[in-house]
């Protein structure tokens, strides 16, 4: 026993004096370490300066019940608990019991409040005891950031997000995801924390703390007014036709700027939300909207003219052992132009097969010159890959060429189709669709995005003129005649395609279609191009492109005509937005005048109104209905506000 005791003493001395520094360093490393301070992610703005995505700091408050002296604890514990009770509406004695018990058990991290705004954090920090600081008052806080979308679900998928899980795997969606790493994310800071048991870590105030560097802001091309029009026009039609999903994109003809993009899918309850970015990522058979490309190739190669007569028979025709059908009883012998106007599958299949069957590469080469076989290279991650078969490929056969002529046996995304129609409207210049204008740090440009031309001229002026006339006539007297209006002009092509027809017998029992419309407006001097694609509308209600997707296109064009003046203007990133200046001046004036009484917030942007109310000297709760600008408030101007009062703001 004596020898054993000597061994224990020897070991203790060895640990204490010989290896003491090593073990103390290991203990310190395990008990104290640096944690990241998340940087505030940069904001995303629309073309007019409205917020599309923003990072809001949130704070969790705790108390180190051990660190304050006995004198300070006894003096301030009751006033502190009274202040917490007033702030939360909970009994003061419940806070007092919890904090005193934590002091008895030497709890150095007792959570008290969570998810506070900045104004609430400032208020709590000045409560009795807490105002003495971290060491003397035991005040402990942890800051996180929360991403908010002021427009709610509108364009949510295209605005996007970046999420990084515990394994450091990133999920990147939309603009936020595509530019998070390079611009929006910022640089995290470092903060020392001490382990206090039970898996809890208490922040330490340390001279070596490194502040986070906030990310840059991104200015997009989105027009919030056009976006709102597009979103609700699509939503209404999806609900009417009980469709599975759909998308709409509105593009500025001259610049390639995407003014609106909406992608809505249906959940199990029948409600629609921004499920996936179908416009950018979903490749599918375009159907009749591709007939325009096929006709242009034949016109450009001069194998036909618009007056060339083509025999569409009586609505059915055999091609290499397979029958192709037209809707209705057929059109007989008609001109090539008429074949496109009435969207004759037989007409386009006959034109392409007769003139390219011996040399299909000639036709496919024309499509490649227009980059229809390649992605557009847009900034949003996940662009769908087009698929146009070629001789020797597994999906090539003698029937491939006739099928391609009317948009089958091939795949394009809606955005890729729209880019081509936009080139027609833009006098033949194919432009890369663009979602961004600039990346900024306050007023300093980090990067400016300019128009990018993919193909300078897709075809001759003669071909362009002929195809423009046909696209106008489609709306006047062709398959899109239901969309014709005397008050404004449009040009475009309807599309109706089968989908999910691998099992043809199952398809005949439950027919599924993709309805689309692609075009531009005004017809003679185009300002915007647009595509609408709706998948699997209820056949009991309707499925033709002119009935399902066409009205969405018309509604968007009509509302833009009436709500958005079409004027020629030169826009640059370096401009002073009068509305933004006015909004700031109003916000600044109101915030410096009103501290405890209700101001007039009508007309102010919703996010400015919320920010103002959260920074008042009185603790109030704010509920916002809608998005955009404030149109009404539940408490009238000049009414003195009470603590914990709820203010309801209605926005348009």
């Amino acid at each position: 026993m004596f020898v054993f005791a000597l061994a224990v003493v020897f070991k203790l001395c060895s640990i204490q004096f010989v290896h003491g520094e090593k073990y103390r360093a290991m203990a310190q490393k395990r008990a104290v370490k640096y944690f990241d301070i998340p940087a505030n992610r940069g904001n995303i703005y629309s073309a007019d300066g409205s917020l599309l995505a923003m990072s809001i700091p949130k704070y969790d408050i705790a108390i180190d019940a051990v660190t304050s002296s006995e004198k300070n604890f006894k003096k301030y514990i009751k006033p502190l608990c009274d202040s917490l009770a007033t702030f939360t509406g909970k009994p003061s004695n419940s806070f007092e019991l919890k904090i005193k018990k934590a002091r008895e058990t030497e709890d150095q991290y007792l959570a008290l409040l969570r998810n506070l705004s900045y104004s609430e954090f400032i208020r709590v920090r000045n409560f009795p005891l807490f105002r003495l600081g971290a060491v003397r008052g035991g005040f402990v806080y942890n800051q996180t950031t929360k991403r908010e979308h002021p427009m709610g679900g509108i364009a949510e998928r295209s605005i996007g997000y970046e999420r990084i899980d515990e394994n450091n795997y990133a999920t990147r969606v939309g603009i936020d995801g595509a530019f998070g790493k390079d611009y929006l994310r910022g640089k995290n800071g470092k903060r020392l924390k001490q382990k206090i048991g039970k898996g809890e870590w208490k922040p330490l105030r340390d001279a070596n703390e490194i502040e986070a560097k906030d990310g840059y802001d991104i200015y997009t091309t989105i027009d919030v007014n056009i976006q709102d029009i597009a979103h609700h026009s699509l939503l209404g039609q999806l609900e009417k036709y009980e469709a599975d999903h759909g998308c709409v994109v509105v593009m500025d003809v001259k610049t390639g700027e995407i003014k609106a993009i909406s992608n809505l899918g249906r959940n199990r309850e029948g409600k629609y939300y921004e499920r996936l970015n179908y416009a950018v990522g979903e490749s599918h058979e375009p159907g009749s909207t591709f007939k325009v490309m096929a006709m242009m190739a034949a016109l450009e190669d001069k194998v036909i003219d618009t007056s060339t007569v083509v025999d569409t028979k009586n609505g059915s025709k055999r091609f290499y052992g397979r029958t192709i059908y037209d809707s209705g009883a057929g059109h007989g012998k008609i001109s090539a132009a008429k074949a496109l106007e009435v969207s004759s599958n037989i007409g386009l299949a006959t034109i392409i097969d007769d003139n390219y069957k011996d040399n299909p590469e000639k036709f496919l080469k024309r499509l490649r010159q227009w980059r229809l076989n390649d992605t557009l290279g847009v900034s949003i991650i996940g662009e769908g890959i087009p698929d146009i078969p070629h001789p020797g490929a597994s999906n090539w056969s003698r029937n491939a060429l006739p099928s391609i002529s009317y948009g089958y046996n091939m795949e394009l995304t809606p955005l890729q189709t729209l880019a081509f129609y936009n080139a027609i409207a833009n006098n033949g210049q194919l432009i890369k669709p663009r979602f961004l204008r600039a990346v900024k740090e306050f007023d300093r440009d980090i990067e400016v995005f300019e128009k990018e031309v993919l193909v300078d001229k897709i075809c001759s002026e003669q071909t362009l003129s002929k195809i423009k006339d046909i696209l106008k006539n489609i709306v006047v007297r062709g398959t899109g005649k239901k969309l014709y209006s005397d008050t404004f002009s449009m040009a475009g092509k309807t599309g109706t395609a089968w989908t999910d027809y691998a099992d043809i017998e199952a398809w005949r029992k439950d027919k599924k279609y993709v309805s689309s419309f692609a075009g531009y407006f005004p017809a003679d001097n185009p300002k915007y191009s647009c595509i609408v694609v709706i998948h699997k509308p209820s056949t009991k209600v309707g499925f033709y492109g002119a009935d399902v997707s066409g009205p969405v296109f018309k509604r968007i064009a009509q509302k833009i005509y009436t709500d958005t003046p079409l004027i020629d203007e030169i826009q640059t990133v370096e401009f002073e937005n009068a509305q933004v200046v006015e909004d700031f001046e109003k916000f600044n004036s109101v915030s410096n005048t009103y501290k405890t009484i209700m101001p007039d917030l009508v007309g102010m942007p919703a996010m400015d109104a919320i920010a103002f109310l959260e920074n008042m000297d009185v603790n109030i709760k704010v509920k916002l209905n809608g998005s955009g600008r404030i149109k009404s408030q539940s408490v009238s101007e000049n009414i003195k506000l009470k603590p914990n009062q709820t203010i309801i703001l209605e926005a348009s």
Side-chain angles (χ1 to χ4, degrees), residues 400-470:
L401 204 58
S403 296
I404 292 171
S405 69
Y406 56 94
Y408 282 80
N409 198 40
M410 58 161 299
E411 290 185 345
L412 291 175
T413 68
L415 191 61
Q416 288 157 3
T417 300
L418 175 62
F420 190 85
Y421 275 78
N422 191 83
I424 297 171
N426 194 30
N427 295 319
Q429 190 177 67
L430 179 64
I431 303 173
K432 180 178 176 179
R434 182 159 54 97
F435 291 88
L436 298 188
R437 281 189 173 180
V439 177
K440 289 193 170 195
E441 183 181 36
F442 300 107
D443 291 331
R444 182 172 70 91
D445 289 334
I446 303 301
E447 186 170 353
V448 177
F449 299 89
E450 305 289 352
K451 179 175 80 171
E452 186 175 339
V453 178
L454 300 178
V455 179
D456 194 58
K457 195 78 169 177
I458 60 172
C459 63
S460 64
E461 287 295 334
Q462 293 88 343
T463 298
L464 203 59
S465 176
K466 290 171 182 176
I467 209 70
K468 282 183 175 180
D469 286 340
I470 296 173

Side-chain angles (χ1 to χ4, degrees), residues 59-361:
Y59 299 86
D60 295 337
I61 306 297
I63 185 171
D64 180 345
V66 180
T67 188
S68 57
S69 67
E70 190 67 24
K71 178 182 177 182
N72 285 335
F73 188 82
K74 287 182 177 179
K75 181 179 179 180
Y76 293 115
I77 183 62
K78 185 67 170 67
L80 170 63
C81 294
D82 290 343
S83 297
L84 289 169
T86 302
F87 183 82
T88 62
K90 297 178 181 179
S92 175
N93 62 344
S94 68
F95 283 107
E96 190 170 351
L97 287 171
K98 284 170 60 177
I99 296 173
K100 284 183 176 179
K101 183 179 179 181
R103 189 170 176 86
E104 290 173 3
T105 58
E106 298 186 351
D107 190 345
Q108 292 183 280
Y109 191 88
L110 174 64
L112 296 174
L113 303 169
R114 295 188 183 278
N115 208 31
L116 302 187
S117 67
Y118 179 72
S119 60
E120 291 171 330
F121 165 74
I122 295 298
R123 183 181 170 193
V124 171
R125 190 176 66 180
N126 288 302
F127 282 176
L129 189 62
F130 282 170
R131 68 168 65 101
L132 299 179
V135 177
R136 295 173 59 211
F139 180 65
V140 181
Y141 75 91
N142 190 43
Q143 178 184 340
T144 58
T145 57
K146 184 179 179 182
R147 201 66 168 164
E148 296 282 357
H149 288 186
M151 290 180 66
I154 297 178
E156 186 175 23
R157 196 75 189 181
S158 298
I159 296 168
Y161 57 83
E162 180 184 45
R163 294 173 185 162
I164 301 176
D165 63 16
E166 63 275 6
N167 299 317
N168 210 33
Y169 178 80
T171 302
R172 297 185 176 94
V173 172
I175 294 169
D176 208 326
F179 294 92
K181 183 178 179 181
D182 293 333
Y183 299 117
L184 290 166
R185 191 186 295 173
K187 188 175 181 180
N188 290 343
K190 295 288 184 183
R191 172 184 291 159
L192 203 61
K193 289 188 179 183
Q194 180 182 23
K195 192 171 185 179
I196 56 176
K198 299 179 182 179
E200 297 285 353
W201 290 83
K202 182 186 74 170
L204 298 175
R205 292 295 164 263
D206 179 63
N208 295 319
E209 182 174 306
I210 303 171
E211 290 189 5
K213 186 178 186 301
D214 293 345
Y216 298 129
D217 294 331
I218 282 180
Y219 286 78
T220 72
T221 61
I222 299 294
D223 184 305
V224 291
N225 293 321
I226 298 177
Q227 179 66 48
D228 186 66
I229 292 167
H231 173 87
H232 288 98
S233 298
L234 177 64
L235 177 61
Q237 204 73 345
L238 289 173
E239 291 174 339
K240 177 180 177 181
Y241 284 88
E242 302 171 4
D244 181 75
H245 65 274
C247 66
V248 57
V249 186
V250 181
M251 182 171 169
D252 187 286
V253 167
K254 300 296 181 186
T255 65
E257 291 185 347
I258 300 299
K259 292 304 183 182
I261 178 169
S262 185
N263 301 275
L264 297 175
R266 193 180 190 186
N267 62 16
R268 293 178 181 178
E269 290 75 38
K271 302 294 183 182
Y272 292 93
Y273 69 106
E274 289 259 339
R275 189 169 67 185
L276 294 170
N277 198 330
Y278 304 110
V280 174
E282 185 176 38
S283 298
H284 63 90
E285 291 176 316
S288 296
T289 54
F290 192 80
K291 291 174 182 174
V292 172
M293 292 77 150
M295 175 70 81
M296 286 181 65
L299 289 172
E300 190 67 3
D301 288 337
K302 295 183 171 33
V303 297
I304 64 159
D305 196 0
T306 53
S307 59
T308 300
V309 175
V310 55
D311 190 359
T312 64
K313 307 294 184 181
N314 59 353
S316 65
K317 183 178 178 179
R318 298 282 287 179
F319 286 81
Y320 309 109
R322 186 170 64 89
T323 304
I324 294 177
Y325 298 92
D326 279 344
S327 59
H331 307 284
K333 293 182 179 181
I334 54 177
S335 68
K338 184 71 172 179
L340 188 55
E341 288 177 20
V342 299
S343 198
S344 170
N345 295 336
I346 297 171
L348 269 296
T350 300
I351 290 170
I352 300 304
D353 189 62
D354 285 353
N355 294 286
Y356 294 100
K357 62 185 177 184
D358 296 329
N359 186 12
E361 183 59 30

Side-chain angles (χ1 to χ4, degrees), residues 481-496:
K481 62 185 177 182
K482 292 181 180 179
L483 310 176
Y484 177 74
S485 172
D486 292 328
T487 57
F488 60 93
S489 61
M490 303 178 295
K493 180 72 185 74
T494 59
T496 309

